[in-house]
Amino acid sequence: EDYKQSLSEISVIIPNFIDTDIFTYQEKKPEDRLHIISLRPYTSAIYANDLTIKAICSLSKKEWFEQLKFTIIGRGPEFKTITQPVKAFQNVHLEETFLRQDEIANIYHQNGVVLIPTRGDTQGVSRGEAMSSGLVPVTNAVAAIPEFTDNTCAILAEENDFVGLAEGIEKLYHDPQLYLQMSRNAAERVRKQSSKVYTIDKEIELFS
């Protein structure tokens, strides 16, 4: 017990840094909710890219599906296999590549929702960068995700629940005002939790 008390007294948990100077917030418009980006490695099941594809296929049954525009960017040995089911959709753009940080920031400004399911992200830097840019994340409430998101700024489906991801996108589609509020909340959440003052500055303060 003495050891645990001693450890708690010296332990400080600091989130990963999200560079809000690079991933700047630009106020979104209602139509931005129709532009959905997925930017993930295709190297492991932990990134849950299969749930992204299943969610899109589920949404394809909706009469308004073609109003949505999906951009799926990534690279890895599983890319072609996993994305095959959506290859024929005219409103799904597939790009097998890596992007530089500035390119990611730019593409976030062109989209309004980030489809970023996961089976085990601890802090989800990519999600935080998207949120910093004003994108509403559609993800899974697993691992540490609920510590960096909530229902006011993110769509949180259960573990392995692609239907919940699709329903979240549908919710944003039907309620543009909710989308705009969640977008603002997402950007604010990052700035109050993972920006420089709460990460790098805090680390420097501790060492000092």
Side-chain angles (χ1 to χ4, degrees), residues 60-79:
S60 71
K61 300 177 176 64
K62 305 293 182 179
E63 60 181 15
W64 41 266
F65 172 67
E66 292 185 358
Q67 296 180 42
L68 305 177
K69 306 297 180 186
F70 295 90
T71 301
I72 299 177
I73 300 175
R75 178 178 286 181
E78 303 170 354
F79 185 85

Side-chain angles (χ1 to χ4, degrees), residues 30-149:
E31 56 268 26
D32 290 327
R33 77 194 190 285
L34 307 177
H35 296 267
I36 303 164
I37 179 74
S38 170
L39 183 59
R40 302 288 267 169
Y42 281 73
T43 55
S44 169
I46 197 171
Y47 296 111
N49 293 306
D50 58 308
L51 300 184
T52 291
I53 301 306
K54 290 177 180 177
I56 294 173
C57 289
S58 179
L59 288 167
S60 71
K61 300 177 176 64
K62 305 293 182 179
E63 60 181 15
W64 41 266
F65 172 67
E66 292 185 358
Q67 296 180 42
L68 305 177
K69 306 297 180 186
F70 295 90
T71 301
I72 299 177
I73 300 175
R75 178 178 286 181
E78 303 170 354
F79 185 85
K80 287 184 172 64
T81 301
I82 289 178
T83 60
Q84 182 62 35
V86 299
K87 191 174 182 180
F89 292 139
Q90 296 298 309
N91 58 337
V92 177
H93 173 70
L94 301 175
E95 192 170 344
E96 188 175 3
T97 187
F98 284 124
L99 296 179
R100 299 189 311 270
Q101 194 175 48
D102 61 312
E103 292 174 322
I104 295 173
N106 182 58
I107 204 164
Y108 281 162
H109 287 152
Q110 299 171 28
N111 289 273
V113 175
V114 60
L115 181 50
I116 189 165
T118 182
R119 291 189 171 95
D121 279 338
T122 53
Q123 297 190 26
V125 172
S126 294
R127 189 211 60 251
E129 292 171 345
M131 290 173 65
S132 179
S133 305
L135 279 72
V136 176
V138 179
T139 187
N140 300 91
V142 299
I145 300 300
E147 297 178 30
F148 295 87
T149 60

Side-chain angles (χ1 to χ4, degrees), residues 185-196:
N185 292 346
E188 184 178 6
R189 174 73 184 252
V190 170
R191 281 159 179 78
K192 288 185 175 181
Q193 186 173 15
S194 303
S195 59
K196 182 174 179 289

Side-chain angles (χ1 to χ4, degrees), residues 166-208:
E167 289 176 346
I169 292 174
E170 180 172 11
K171 183 177 181 179
L172 297 177
Y173 170 80
H174 288 297
D175 195 339
Q177 291 307 312
L178 172 65
Y179 161 73
L180 293 175
Q181 185 59 58
M182 291 180 72
S183 170
R184 290 190 287 267
N185 292 346
E188 184 178 6
R189 174 73 184 252
V190 170
R191 281 159 179 78
K192 288 185 175 181
Q193 186 173 15
S194 303
S195 59
K196 182 174 179 289
V197 67
Y198 296 103
T199 55
I200 294 175
D201 289 352
K202 193 171 182 179
E203 288 180 351
I204 293 173
E205 179 183 339
L206 287 172
F207 282 117
S208 300

